[in-house]
Structures are given as structure tokens and as C-alpha cells.
Amino acid sequence: MKRIEHIGIAVKDLEAANKTYNAVMGAEHYKTETVESEGVSTSFFKVGESKIELLAATNPDSPIAKFIEKRGEGIHHMAFYVDDIQAEIERLKDEGFRLLNDQPKTGADNKLVAFMHPKDANGVLIELCQDK
């Protein structure tokens, strides 16, 4: 793992959250994107070399909608940049960690992604990210 790529924050209202984070960061978000396969709309802010990703559900059955229903708005995941996502998946499995994805899938921001089970990381959902 090379660096923290981004921190994902689950929000109910992306437009309202964008206004809040525009004020907090003193800068506009630089990108919005919808990931249909995950039922989520995203917005990205730069913080040095890292990013903040705001995530809002696009349907009531999406993982983000379920997360907000269960836990409320807040930090959803921490993402780490990797050079070789498949090798990292295998390395983590060999270390005994459970992965939610055996194979990387397409995520937001032109990335391949995979997730580690939060129960294996002290309740934190860990995302692996690699540029496509």
C-alpha cells in the first residue's frame, strides 16, 4: 500500500454536502460521477495528494443507502492506493484477511477497486485502489 488515496464519506444529500465541504475545504469539488453498478453518486475534493470522496445513494437498495440507514452519515471507508491490486488481494488473503471481492471491479475516479471486510480491520471498511 503506497498512500491513503481517499476517505469516503456517506451523505444523504450530495448537493448539500458539497456546499458544506466547499466551505470546509475552501475549494470546490473537482469532479462528480455516478457509478451505476454501486448505486452511488460521488463528488471528489483534493486534499494535498489525497482526496475526500462524498458518496450519496442513487437507490434505496444501494450499499450506501443501507449504510446510512444503519449507521447514519459519516466516514464509510478508507482507501489505499496500490500498484498491483490483484497482488494486494492475494497478499491480504494470505495474511488471513477476508476480502469482499476476489477480483477487482470498476469504481469511481477511473479506478479498479476491491474491499476488505471491516470486521478484519477494527470496524473500518478498507478499499484498495489502482488506476485503470
Side-chain angles (χ1 to χ4, degrees):
M1 299 203 190
K2 300 294 184 180
R3 61 179 163 78
I4 295 174
E5 210 283 335
H6 68 268
I7 296 171
I9 301 173
V11 301
K12 290 180 182 176
D13 181 333
L14 190 60
E15 186 176 322
N18 276 334
K19 288 178 184 175
T20 298
Y21 279 85
N22 285 345
V24 168
M25 307 296 291
E28 295 283 323
H29 59 282
Y30 72 90
K31 178 180 186 176
T32 58
E33 182 178 351
T34 299
V35 182
E36 295 293 340
S37 63
E38 297 299 313
V40 68
S41 287
T42 65
S43 179
F44 288 91
F45 292 82
K46 283 267 195 195
V47 183
E49 289 187 26
S50 299
K51 301 172 201 155
I52 300 291
E53 177 188 29
L54 303 179
L55 304 114
T58 58
N59 69 65
D61 296 323
S62 75
I64 293 299
K66 291 176 183 175
F67 176 90
I68 290 172
E69 183 179 307
K70 185 176 181 180
R71 296 188 180 174
E73 294 180 291
I75 294 177
H76 178 260
H77 67 270
M78 185 175 307
F80 292 92
Y81 183 83
V82 300
D83 288 328
D84 184 341
I85 196 168
Q86 193 61 54
E88 281 299 304
I89 289 170
E90 296 308 317
R91 183 187 71 78
L92 289 168
K93 282 184 186 177
D94 289 346
E95 291 286 339
F97 295 105
R98 292 174 286 171
L99 279 289
L100 300 177
N101 315 91
D102 287 329
Q103 297 295 317
K105 58 184 180 177
T106 300
D109 204 26
N110 201 34
K111 300 279 189 275
L112 292 175
V113 301
F115 291 90
M116 192 172 96
H117 200 291
K119 289 184 179 178
D120 289 351
N122 304 95
V124 177
L125 180 63
I126 300 292
E127 179 181 6
L128 308 176
C129 297
Q130 175 188 315
D131 292 328
K132 277 178 129 180

